[in-house]
Amino acid sequence: MSLSNPTQLLLRNADLLKADAPLVVNCPDSGLISELVAINAHQNISCYNVNYAEHQALSKKFSALDCQFSAHYQSTQLHDLVIIYFPKSKKEFNFLLAMLTPIISDNGIILVVGENKGGVKSAAKLSKEHVVRCDKVDSARHCLLVEAIFNNQRREFNLDSWFEQFSVEIAATTITVASLPGVFSNGELDKGTRLLLENLPKSINGKVLDFGCGAGVIGSYVKKRYQGTNIEMLDVNALAIASAKRTLTLNGLEGKVFASDSLSNVSGQYNTVISNPPFHQGIKTNYHATESFLKGIKGHIAKNGSLTIVANNFLRYAPIIKAEIAEPQLLINSQGFAIHHCQKQ
């Protein structure tokens, strides 16, 4: 089994993993949990993941453990050890710390691990409000492990206070967007999504899927502009799902928002599929999710239904669309982005 570099760094410091009630946050590897189970035979171990695929993998393998997937981790017990895999953004790390401090026991230990280029070196500075000290423990494989001691200052966590809002106005249609830290395009509309919304098909009706919805910009905009559409949105990230639901509510719109690992929880067919698909996993470039989506979505597009996606223009998605669905049309290539559109025959 291949283990990530941060997990390998943790495992070579196994003496730090002994605890009465450990909590592991955003662990991508079952190998670490197996080691925790071996070290802590009582199995009073909890896992919290905002990534649905990682959550599913852990909850299926360790069904006896408390595994949570949500925008807000909650527990009735206090954890004497919290292991955090440093997230893709510093804002999200601050969010996680604020969320977790109410459930850390007095003088509890916080271990933070991550890749150097991912920002883990800033963990000490970012956590100073919540800890009495934060020290480097080990480094290897371009990763860093730090240990902090909780300062026992518990503050009530209010999820609502972490949403950022901004407005989007395109073609005389305006929506308000809410997004939590770590969600794509947090606090502002990205160029690719704006270009996509400016070049949508003239007519959209029926059942619509927003794949990789993020904060729900595309699905909410389509629902408001094209009245009568039935919107569904999916994402792999719990913070994105919470954001998309909030965006719908802010605009007085109705729609279905659900978690899915690519198309794992998708059923039925759609008249229109629209997406600004992800090509990053954490800080790394990863095309697998989008390529898997393009290869599998045909079965979920109704006859004469369409697919419209925006992508960086260096990404070679057009040949995949042609091979798997239909000959794509390049609607526009501008500002480093290309919009591909095809119709299933």
Side-chain angles (χ1 to χ4, degrees), residues 198-278:
E198 290 172 343
N199 292 274
L200 288 173
K202 293 182 179 179
S203 176
I204 296 178
N205 51 58
K207 194 175 178 183
V208 179
L209 175 66
D210 177 1
F211 175 87
C213 64
V217 177
I218 295 172
S220 298
Y221 179 86
V222 169
K223 179 65 177 178
K224 190 166 185 178
R225 179 174 172 183
Y226 301 89
Q227 297 183 4
T229 51
N230 181 7
I231 299 295
E232 294 190 9
M233 297 187 274
L234 71 82
D235 206 285
V236 74
N237 186 283
L239 305 183
I241 292 167
S243 299
K245 289 180 178 179
R246 179 63 59 93
T247 297
L248 283 171
T249 299
L250 286 174
N251 294 280
L253 303 172
E254 294 185 356
K256 177 183 178 181
V257 186
F258 61 99
S260 184
D261 176 15
S262 189
L263 298 171
S264 65
N265 288 341
V266 174
S267 60
Q269 294 189 318
Y270 299 87
N271 303 99
T272 303
V273 177
I274 308 176
S275 179
N276 182 353

Coordinates of all heavy atoms in Angstrom, one line a residue, residues 198-278:
E198 N -20.8 33.5 -19.0 CA -21.0 34.5 -20.1 C -21.2 33.9 -21.4 O -21.6 34.5 -22.3 CB -19.8 35.4 -20.2 CG -19.6 36.4 -19.0 CD -18.3 37.2 -19.0 OE1 -17.4 36.8 -19.8 OE2 -18.2 38.2 -18.3
N199 N -20.9 32.6 -21.5 CA -21.1 31.9 -22.8 C -21.9 30.6 -22.7 O -21.6 29.6 -23.4 CB -19.7 31.5 -23.3 CG -18.9 32.8 -23.7 OD1 -19.0 33.3 -24.8 ND2 -18.1 33.3 -22.8
L200 N -22.9 30.6 -21.8 CA -23.8 29.5 -21.7 C -24.7 29.3 -22.9 O -24.9 30.3 -23.7 CB -24.7 29.6 -20.5 CG -24.0 29.5 -19.1 CD1 -25.0 29.9 -18.0 CD2 -23.5 28.1 -18.9
P201 N -25.2 28.1 -23.2 CA -26.1 27.9 -24.3 C -27.3 28.8 -24.1 O -27.7 29.2 -23.0 CB -26.5 26.4 -24.1 CG -25.4 25.8 -23.4 CD -24.8 26.8 -22.5
K202 N -27.9 29.2 -25.3 CA -29.0 30.2 -25.2 C -30.2 29.6 -24.5 O -31.0 30.3 -23.9 CB -29.4 30.6 -26.7 CG -28.3 31.4 -27.4 CD -28.7 31.9 -28.7 CE -27.7 32.7 -29.4 NZ -28.1 33.1 -30.8
S203 N -30.4 28.3 -24.6 CA -31.5 27.7 -24.0 C -31.1 26.5 -23.1 O -30.3 25.6 -23.6 CB -32.5 27.1 -25.1 OG -33.6 26.4 -24.5
I204 N -31.5 26.6 -21.9 CA -31.2 25.5 -20.9 C -32.6 25.1 -20.2 O -33.3 26.0 -19.7 CB -30.2 25.9 -19.9 CG1 -28.8 26.1 -20.5 CG2 -30.1 24.8 -18.8 CD1 -27.8 26.6 -19.5
N205 N -32.9 23.9 -20.2 CA -34.2 23.5 -19.6 C -34.1 22.1 -19.1 O -33.1 21.4 -19.3 CB -35.4 23.6 -20.6 CG -35.1 22.9 -21.9 OD1 -34.8 21.7 -21.9 ND2 -35.1 23.6 -23.0
G206 N -35.1 21.7 -18.3 CA -35.1 20.3 -17.8 C -34.2 20.1 -16.6 O -33.9 21.1 -15.8
K207 N -33.6 19.0 -16.5 CA -32.8 18.6 -15.4 C -31.3 18.9 -15.6 O -30.8 18.6 -16.7 CB -32.9 17.1 -15.1 CG -32.4 16.6 -13.8 CD -32.7 15.1 -13.6 CE -32.1 14.5 -12.3 NZ -32.4 13.1 -12.2
V208 N -30.7 19.7 -14.7 CA -29.4 20.2 -14.9 C -28.5 19.7 -13.8 O -28.8 19.7 -12.6 CB -29.4 21.7 -14.9 CG1 -28.0 22.3 -15.1 CG2 -30.3 22.3 -16.0
L209 N -27.2 19.3 -14.2 CA -26.2 18.9 -13.2 C -25.1 19.8 -13.2 O -24.5 20.1 -14.3 CB -25.7 17.4 -13.5 CG -24.6 17.0 -12.6 CD1 -25.1 16.8 -11.1 CD2 -24.0 15.6 -13.1
D210 N -24.7 20.4 -12.0 CA -23.5 21.1 -11.9 C -22.5 20.2 -11.2 O -22.6 19.9 -10.0 CB -23.8 22.4 -11.0 CG -22.5 23.2 -10.7 OD1 -21.4 22.8 -11.2 OD2 -22.7 24.2 -10.0
F211 N -21.5 19.7 -12.0 CA -20.5 18.8 -11.5 C -19.3 19.5 -10.9 O -18.7 20.4 -11.5 CB -20.0 17.9 -12.6 CG -18.9 16.9 -12.2 CD1 -19.2 15.7 -11.6 CD2 -17.6 17.3 -12.4 CE1 -18.2 14.8 -11.3 CE2 -16.6 16.4 -12.0 CZ -16.9 15.2 -11.4
G212 N -19.0 19.2 -9.6 CA -17.9 19.9 -8.9 C -18.3 21.3 -8.6 O -17.6 22.3 -9.0
C213 N -19.4 21.4 -7.9 CA -20.1 22.7 -7.8 C -19.4 23.8 -7.0 O -19.7 25.0 -7.1 CB -21.5 22.5 -7.2 SG -21.6 21.9 -5.5
G214 N -18.5 23.4 -6.1 CA -17.8 24.4 -5.3 C -18.9 25.1 -4.5 O -19.7 24.5 -3.8
A215 N -18.9 26.4 -4.5 CA -19.8 27.2 -3.7 C -21.2 27.3 -4.3 O -22.1 28.0 -3.9 CB -19.3 28.6 -3.5
G216 N -21.4 26.6 -5.5 CA -22.7 26.6 -6.1 C -23.0 27.7 -7.0 O -24.2 28.0 -7.3
V217 N -22.0 28.3 -7.5 CA -22.1 29.5 -8.4 C -22.9 29.1 -9.7 O -23.9 29.7 -10.1 CB -20.8 30.1 -8.8 CG1 -21.0 31.3 -9.8 CG2 -20.1 30.6 -7.5
I218 N -22.4 28.1 -10.4 CA -23.0 27.7 -11.7 C -24.4 27.3 -11.5 O -25.3 27.7 -12.2 CB -22.1 26.6 -12.4 CG1 -20.7 27.2 -12.7 CG2 -22.8 26.1 -13.6 CD1 -19.8 26.1 -13.2
G219 N -24.7 26.3 -10.6 CA -26.0 25.8 -10.5 C -27.0 26.8 -10.1 O -28.1 26.9 -10.6
S220 N -26.6 27.7 -9.1 CA -27.5 28.7 -8.6 C -27.8 29.8 -9.7 O -28.9 30.2 -9.9 CB -26.9 29.4 -7.4 OG -26.8 28.5 -6.4
Y221 N -26.8 30.1 -10.5 CA -26.9 31.1 -11.6 C -27.9 30.6 -12.6 O -28.8 31.3 -13.1 CB -25.6 31.5 -12.2 CG -25.7 32.4 -13.3 CD1 -25.7 33.8 -13.1 CD2 -25.7 32.0 -14.6 CE1 -25.8 34.7 -14.1 CE2 -25.8 32.9 -15.7 CZ -25.9 34.2 -15.5 OH -26.0 35.1 -16.5
V222 N -27.7 29.3 -13.0 CA -28.5 28.7 -14.0 C -30.0 28.6 -13.6 O -30.9 28.9 -14.3 CB -28.0 27.3 -14.4 CG1 -29.0 26.5 -15.2 CG2 -26.7 27.4 -15.2
K223 N -30.1 28.2 -12.3 CA -31.5 28.1 -11.8 C -32.2 29.5 -11.8 O -33.4 29.5 -12.1 CB -31.4 27.6 -10.3 CG -32.8 27.5 -9.6 CD -33.7 26.4 -10.3 CE -35.0 26.3 -9.5 NZ -35.9 25.3 -10.2
K224 N -31.5 30.5 -11.5 CA -32.1 31.9 -11.5 C -32.4 32.4 -12.9 O -33.4 33.1 -13.1 CB -31.3 32.8 -10.7 CG -32.0 34.2 -10.4 CD -31.2 35.0 -9.3 CE -32.0 36.3 -9.0 NZ -31.3 37.0 -7.9
R225 N -31.4 32.2 -13.8 CA -31.5 32.7 -15.1 C -32.5 31.9 -16.0 O -33.3 32.5 -16.8 CB -30.2 32.8 -15.8 CG -30.2 33.3 -17.2 CD -28.8 33.5 -17.8 NE -28.8 33.8 -19.2 CZ -27.8 34.0 -19.9 NH1 -26.5 33.9 -19.4 NH2 -27.9 34.3 -21.2
Y226 N -32.5 30.6 -15.9 CA -33.3 29.8 -16.7 C -34.4 29.1 -15.8 O -34.3 28.1 -15.3 CB -32.5 28.7 -17.4 CG -31.3 29.2 -18.2 CD1 -30.1 29.4 -17.6 CD2 -31.5 29.4 -19.6 CE1 -29.0 29.9 -18.4 CE2 -30.4 29.9 -20.4 CZ -29.2 30.1 -19.8 OH -28.2 30.6 -20.5
Q227 N -35.5 29.9 -15.7 CA -36.6 29.5 -14.8 C -37.2 28.2 -15.3 O -37.3 27.9 -16.5 CB -37.6 30.6 -14.8 CG -37.1 31.9 -14.2 CD -38.2 32.9 -14.0 OE1 -39.3 32.7 -14.3 NE2 -37.8 34.1 -13.5
G228 N -37.5 27.3 -14.4 CA -38.1 26.0 -14.8 C -37.1 24.9 -14.8 O -37.5 23.7 -14.9
T229 N -35.8 25.2 -14.7 CA -34.9 24.1 -14.6 C -34.9 23.4 -13.3 O -35.3 24.0 -12.3 CB -33.4 24.7 -14.9 OG1 -33.2 25.8 -14.0 CG2 -33.3 25.1 -16.3
N230 N -34.5 22.2 -13.3 CA -34.4 21.4 -12.0 C -32.9 21.2 -11.8 O -32.2 20.4 -12.5 CB -35.1 20.1 -12.2 CG -35.1 19.2 -11.0 OD1 -34.6 19.6 -9.9 ND2 -35.6 18.0 -11.1
I231 N -32.4 21.8 -10.7 CA -30.9 21.9 -10.5 C -30.5 20.8 -9.5 O -31.1 20.7 -8.4 CB -30.5 23.3 -10.0 CG1 -30.8 24.3 -11.1 CG2 -29.0 23.3 -9.7 CD1 -30.0 24.2 -12.4
E232 N -29.4 20.1 -9.9 CA -28.7 19.3 -8.9 C -27.2 19.6 -9.0 O -26.7 19.9 -10.0 CB -28.9 17.8 -9.2 CG -30.3 17.3 -9.1 CD -30.5 15.8 -9.1 OE1 -29.4 15.1 -9.2 OE2 -31.6 15.3 -9.2
M233 N -26.6 19.6 -7.8 CA -25.2 20.0 -7.7 C -24.5 19.0 -6.8 O -25.0 18.5 -5.8 CB -25.0 21.4 -7.1 CG -25.6 22.5 -7.9 SD -25.2 24.2 -7.2 CE -26.6 24.4 -6.0
L234 N -23.2 18.7 -7.2 CA -22.5 17.7 -6.4 C -21.0 18.2 -6.2 O -20.5 18.9 -7.1 CB -22.5 16.3 -7.1 CG -21.7 16.1 -8.4 CD1 -20.2 15.8 -8.1 CD2 -22.3 14.9 -9.1
D235 N -20.4 17.7 -5.2 CA -19.0 18.0 -4.9 C -18.5 16.9 -4.0 O -19.2 16.2 -3.3 CB -18.8 19.4 -4.3 CG -17.4 20.0 -4.6 OD1 -16.5 19.5 -4.0 OD2 -17.3 20.9 -5.4
V236 N -17.1 16.8 -4.0 CA -16.5 15.8 -3.1 C -16.2 16.4 -1.7 O -15.9 15.7 -0.8 CB -15.2 15.3 -3.8 CG1 -14.1 16.3 -3.7 CG2 -14.8 13.9 -3.1
N237 N -16.4 17.7 -1.6 CA -15.9 18.4 -0.4 C -17.1 18.9 0.4 O -18.0 19.5 -0.1 CB -15.1 19.6 -0.8 CG -14.4 20.4 0.3 OD1 -15.1 21.1 1.0 ND2 -13.2 20.1 0.5
A238 N -17.0 18.6 1.7 CA -18.1 18.9 2.6 C -18.3 20.4 2.8 O -19.4 20.9 2.9 CB -17.9 18.3 4.0
L239 N -17.2 21.2 2.8 CA -17.3 22.6 2.9 C -17.9 23.2 1.6 O -18.7 24.2 1.7 CB -15.9 23.2 3.1 CG -15.1 22.7 4.3 CD1 -13.8 23.4 4.5 CD2 -15.9 22.7 5.6
A240 N -17.7 22.6 0.5 CA -18.3 23.1 -0.8 C -19.8 22.8 -0.7 O -20.6 23.7 -1.1 CB -17.7 22.4 -2.0
I241 N -20.2 21.6 -0.2 CA -21.6 21.3 -0.2 C -22.4 22.2 0.7 O -23.4 22.7 0.4 CB -21.8 19.8 0.3 CG1 -21.2 18.9 -0.8 CG2 -23.2 19.5 0.6 CD1 -21.0 17.5 -0.3
A242 N -21.8 22.5 1.9 CA -22.4 23.5 2.8 C -22.5 24.9 2.1 O -23.5 25.6 2.3 CB -21.7 23.6 4.1
S243 N -21.5 25.3 1.4 CA -21.5 26.6 0.7 C -22.6 26.6 -0.4 O -23.3 27.6 -0.5 CB -20.1 26.8 0.1 OG -19.1 26.9 1.1
A244 N -22.7 25.6 -1.2 CA -23.6 25.6 -2.2 C -25.1 25.6 -1.7 O -25.9 26.3 -2.3 CB -23.4 24.3 -3.1
K245 N -25.3 24.9 -0.6 CA -26.6 24.9 0.0 C -27.0 26.3 0.5 O -28.1 26.8 0.4 CB -26.7 23.9 1.2 CG -26.7 22.5 0.7 CD -26.8 21.5 1.9 CE -26.9 20.1 1.5 NZ -26.9 19.1 2.6
R246 N -26.0 27.0 1.1 CA -26.2 28.4 1.6 C -26.4 29.3 0.4 O -27.2 30.2 0.5 CB -24.9 28.8 2.4 CG -25.0 30.2 3.0 CD -26.2 30.4 4.0 NE -26.1 29.5 5.1 CZ -25.5 29.8 6.2 NH1 -24.9 31.0 6.4 NH2 -25.4 29.0 7.2
T247 N -25.7 29.1 -0.7 CA -25.9 30.0 -1.8 C -27.3 29.9 -2.4 O -27.9 30.9 -2.7 CB -24.9 29.7 -2.9 OG1 -23.5 29.9 -2.4 CG2 -25.1 30.5 -4.2
L248 N -27.8 28.7 -2.5 CA -29.2 28.5 -2.9 C -30.2 29.2 -2.0 O -31.0 29.9 -2.4 CB -29.5 27.0 -2.9 CG -29.0 26.2 -4.1 CD1 -29.3 24.7 -3.8 CD2 -29.6 26.6 -5.4
T249 N -30.0 29.0 -0.7 CA -30.9 29.7 0.3 C -30.8 31.2 0.2 O -31.9 31.9 0.2 CB -30.5 29.2 1.7 OG1 -30.6 27.8 1.8 CG2 -31.4 29.9 2.8
L250 N -29.6 31.8 0.1 CA -29.5 33.2 0.0 C -30.3 33.8 -1.2 O -30.7 35.0 -1.2 CB -28.0 33.6 -0.1 CG -27.2 33.5 1.2 CD1 -25.7 33.8 0.9 CD2 -27.7 34.4 2.2
N251 N -30.4 33.0 -2.3 CA -31.0 33.5 -3.5 C -32.5 33.0 -3.6 O -33.1 33.2 -4.6 CB -30.2 33.1 -4.7 CG -28.9 33.8 -4.7 OD1 -28.7 34.9 -5.1 ND2 -27.8 33.0 -4.3
G252 N -33.0 32.4 -2.6 CA -34.4 31.9 -2.6 C -34.6 30.9 -3.6 O -35.7 30.8 -4.2
L253 N -33.6 30.0 -3.8 CA -33.7 29.0 -4.9 C -33.8 27.6 -4.3 O -33.4 27.4 -3.1 CB -32.5 29.1 -5.8 CG -32.2 30.4 -6.5 CD1 -30.9 30.4 -7.2 CD2 -33.4 30.7 -7.5
E254 N -34.3 26.7 -5.0 CA -34.4 25.3 -4.6 C -33.5 24.4 -5.5 O -33.4 24.7 -6.7 CB -35.8 24.8 -4.6 CG -36.7 25.5 -3.6 CD -38.1 24.8 -3.6 OE1 -38.4 23.9 -4.4 OE2 -38.9 25.3 -2.8
G255 N -32.9 23.4 -4.9 CA -32.0 22.5 -5.7 C -31.5 21.4 -4.8 O -31.6 21.5 -3.6
K256 N -31.0 20.4 -5.4 CA -30.4 19.3 -4.6 C -28.9 19.4 -4.6 O -28.3 19.6 -5.7 CB -30.9 17.9 -5.3 CG -30.3 16.7 -4.6 CD -30.7 15.4 -5.3 CE -30.1 14.2 -4.7 NZ -30.5 12.9 -5.4
V257 N -28.3 19.3 -3.5 CA -26.8 19.3 -3.4 C -26.4 18.1 -2.6 O -26.9 17.8 -1.5 CB -26.4 20.6 -2.6 CG1 -24.8 20.7 -2.6 CG2 -27.0 21.8 -3.2
F258 N -25.5 17.3 -3.2 CA -25.1 16.1 -2.6 C -23.6 15.8 -2.8 O -23.0 16.3 -3.7 CB -25.9 14.9 -3.1 CG -25.8 14.6 -4.6 CD1 -25.0 13.6 -5.1 CD2 -26.6 15.4 -5.5 CE1 -24.9 13.4 -6.4 CE2 -26.5 15.1 -6.8 CZ -25.7 14.1 -7.3
A259 N -23.1 14.9 -1.9 CA -21.7 14.5 -2.0 C -21.5 13.3 -3.0 O -22.4 12.4 -3.0 CB -21.2 14.0 -0.6
S260 N -20.4 13.3 -3.7 CA -20.2 12.3 -4.6 C -18.7 12.2 -4.9 O -18.1 13.3 -5.1 CB -21.0 12.4 -5.9 OG -20.8 11.4 -6.8
D261 N -18.1 11.0 -5.0 CA -16.7 10.9 -5.5 C -16.8 10.7 -7.0 O -17.1 9.6 -7.5 CB -16.1 9.6 -4.8 CG -14.7 9.3 -5.3 OD1 -14.1 10.2 -5.9 OD2 -14.3 8.2 -5.0
S262 N -16.6 11.8 -7.7 CA -16.8 11.8 -9.1 C -18.3 11.5 -9.4 O -19.2 12.2 -8.8 CB -15.9 10.9 -9.9 OG -16.0 11.1 -11.3
L263 N -18.6 10.4 -10.1 CA -20.0 10.1 -10.4 C -20.6 9.0 -9.5 O -21.6 8.4 -9.8 CB -20.2 9.7 -11.8 CG -19.8 10.8 -12.8 CD1 -19.7 10.2 -14.3 CD2 -20.7 12.0 -12.8
S264 N -19.9 8.7 -8.4 CA -20.3 7.5 -7.6 C -21.7 7.6 -7.1 O -22.4 6.5 -6.9 CB -19.3 7.4 -6.4 OG -19.5 8.5 -5.5
N265 N -22.3 8.7 -6.8 CA -23.6 8.8 -6.2 C -24.6 9.5 -7.2 O -25.7 9.9 -6.9 CB -23.6 9.6 -4.9 CG -23.0 8.9 -3.8 OD1 -22.9 7.7 -3.8 ND2 -22.6 9.6 -2.8
V266 N -24.2 9.5 -8.5 CA -25.1 10.1 -9.5 C -26.0 9.0 -10.1 O -25.5 7.9 -10.4 CB -24.3 10.7 -10.7 CG1 -25.1 11.2 -11.8 CG2 -23.4 11.9 -10.1
S267 N -27.3 9.3 -10.2 CA -28.2 8.3 -10.9 C -29.1 9.1 -11.8 O -29.3 10.3 -11.7 CB -29.0 7.6 -9.8 OG -29.8 8.6 -9.0
G268 N -29.7 8.4 -12.7 CA -30.6 9.1 -13.7 C -29.9 9.8 -14.8 O -28.7 9.7 -14.9
Q269 N -30.6 10.6 -15.5 CA -30.1 11.3 -16.7 C -30.4 12.8 -16.6 O -31.4 13.2 -15.9 CB -30.6 10.8 -18.0 CG -30.1 9.3 -18.3 CD -30.5 8.9 -19.7 OE1 -31.6 9.1 -20.2 NE2 -29.5 8.2 -20.3
Y270 N -29.6 13.6 -17.2 CA -29.7 15.1 -17.2 C -29.8 15.6 -18.6 O -29.2 15.1 -19.5 CB -28.5 15.7 -16.5 CG -28.4 15.3 -15.1 CD1 -27.7 14.1 -14.7 CD2 -29.0 16.0 -14.0 CE1 -27.5 13.7 -13.4 CE2 -28.8 15.6 -12.7 CZ -28.1 14.5 -12.4 OH -28.0 14.1 -11.1
N271 N -30.6 16.7 -18.8 CA -30.7 17.3 -20.1 C -29.5 18.2 -20.3 O -29.1 18.4 -21.5 CB -32.0 18.2 -20.1 CG -33.3 17.4 -19.9 OD1 -33.8 17.4 -18.7 ND2 -33.7 16.7 -20.8
T272 N -28.9 18.7 -19.2 CA -27.8 19.6 -19.4 C -26.8 19.3 -18.2 O -27.2 19.2 -17.1 CB -28.2 21.1 -19.3 OG1 -29.1 21.4 -20.3 CG2 -27.0 22.0 -19.5
V273 N -25.5 19.1 -18.6 CA -24.5 19.0 -17.6 C -23.5 20.1 -17.8 O -23.0 20.4 -18.9 CB -23.7 17.7 -17.7 CG1 -22.6 17.6 -16.7 CG2 -24.7 16.5 -17.5
I274 N -23.2 20.9 -16.8 CA -22.3 22.1 -16.8 C -21.3 21.9 -15.7 O -21.6 21.6 -14.6 CB -23.1 23.4 -16.7 CG1 -24.3 23.4 -17.7 CG2 -22.2 24.6 -16.9 CD1 -25.2 24.7 -17.5
S275 N -20.0 22.3 -16.1 CA -19.0 22.1 -15.0 C -17.8 23.0 -15.3 O -17.4 23.2 -16.4 CB -18.6 20.7 -15.0 OG -17.6 20.5 -14.0
N276 N -17.2 23.5 -14.2 CA -15.8 23.9 -14.2 C -15.1 22.9 -13.3 O -14.9 23.0 -12.1 CB -15.7 25.3 -13.5 CG -14.3 25.8 -13.5 OD1 -13.4 25.2 -13.9 ND2 -14.1 27.1 -13.1
P277 N -14.7 21.8 -14.0 CA -14.2 20.6 -13.3 C -12.9 20.8 -12.6 O -12.0 21.6 -13.1 CB -14.1 19.5 -14.4 CG -13.9 20.3 -15.6 CD -14.7 21.6 -15.5
P278 N -12.7 20.2 -11.5 CA -11.4 20.4 -10.8 C -10.3 19.7 -11.4 O -10.5 18.6 -12.0 CB -11.7 19.8 -9.4 CG -12.7 18.7 -9.7 CD -13.6 19.3 -10.8

